[in-house]
Amino acid sequence: MAVNETNTTTVNTQEAVHKNTLTFEDQVIKKIAGIAANENKGILSMSGGFMSGLTDRFRSTEDITKGINAEVGEKQVALDLKVIVEYGKNVPTIFSETVSRVKKAVFDITGLEVIEVNMHVEDIMTREEFDEKNKKEKEQESKRELV
């Protein structure tokens, strides 16, 4: 009698699987959102976070991310913005344009989808009031630095 014997040898090769990842700090997303939102005419400031004039924006030592909260996931972002808007401007239009700008900037730079933008208007001022307030704040800050 012949016995058929089959030996099955399974070679289990475990290859190392490398997964590449790209992540962003919340601060990066907040900065992108802050710059994009401030480009919108009608927004004077993000919760007093930075100056409204173009040249002042780049010279300002204030935090551009002030007034912005971000929840950043692997593929999506949710943002809350606190703003001061210019008196006489249409706030719903400002909101719509801000949402579009922020979504586009975040996606173009990071590839992340902004799924939610909430904008809270903290104050409304004329440009003159805003400029005067910032001038006084800068003067007070200069006095503090001298002391």
Side-chain angles (χ1 to χ4, degrees):
M1 196 174 192
V3 176
N4 268 343
E5 195 174 319
T6 308
N7 287 335
T8 307
T9 307
T10 305
V11 178
N12 190 2
T13 58
Q14 291 184 340
E15 295 180 26
V17 178
H18 295 283
K19 182 179 178 186
N20 300 320
T21 60
L22 174 64
T23 59
F24 297 91
E25 289 290 328
D26 291 1
Q27 198 71 4
V28 172
I29 303 303
K30 289 164 60 172
K31 190 171 187 178
I32 294 167
I35 292 169
N38 196 50
E39 290 175 345
N40 195 354
K41 292 186 186 322
I43 292 183
L44 295 173
S45 177
M46 302 301 293
S47 187
F50 52 96
M51 308 301 284
S52 62
L54 182 61
T55 54
D56 287 336
R57 276 185 226 156
F58 297 109
R59 287 190 299 217
S60 176
T61 58
E62 295 186 44
D63 183 7
I64 197 168
T65 63
K66 186 175 180 182
I68 302 172
N69 290 318
E71 292 182 29
V72 182
E74 289 182 24
K75 296 181 181 180
Q76 297 176 327
V77 175
L79 294 162
D80 293 320
L81 313 174
K82 294 179 182 178
V83 300
I84 297 172
V85 296
E86 186 174 354
Y87 176 80
K89 303 292 182 179
N90 183 288
V91 177
T93 300
I94 292 168
F95 174 65
S96 177
E97 290 173 0
T98 301
V99 169
S100 294
R101 283 179 188 267
V102 168
K103 283 184 171 188
K104 182 176 181 351
V106 170
F107 183 78
D108 288 351
I109 295 170
T110 67
L112 296 173
E113 176 190 12
V114 177
I115 58 167
E116 182 179 325
V117 177
N118 300 304
M119 189 169 91
H120 177 74
V121 179
E122 287 198 334
D123 203 352
I124 190 162
M125 298 180 170
T126 64
R127 181 156 304 275
E128 293 77 23
E129 286 176 309
F130 182 74
D131 291 342
E132 184 63 29
K133 178 184 171 203
N134 284 329
K135 181 180 175 186
K136 286 179 183 178
E137 286 177 4
K138 277 190 167 188
E139 287 172 358
Q140 289 174 349
E141 188 176 309
S142 294
K143 287 178 184 177
R144 278 183 257 152
E145 288 175 0
L146 293 174
V147 174

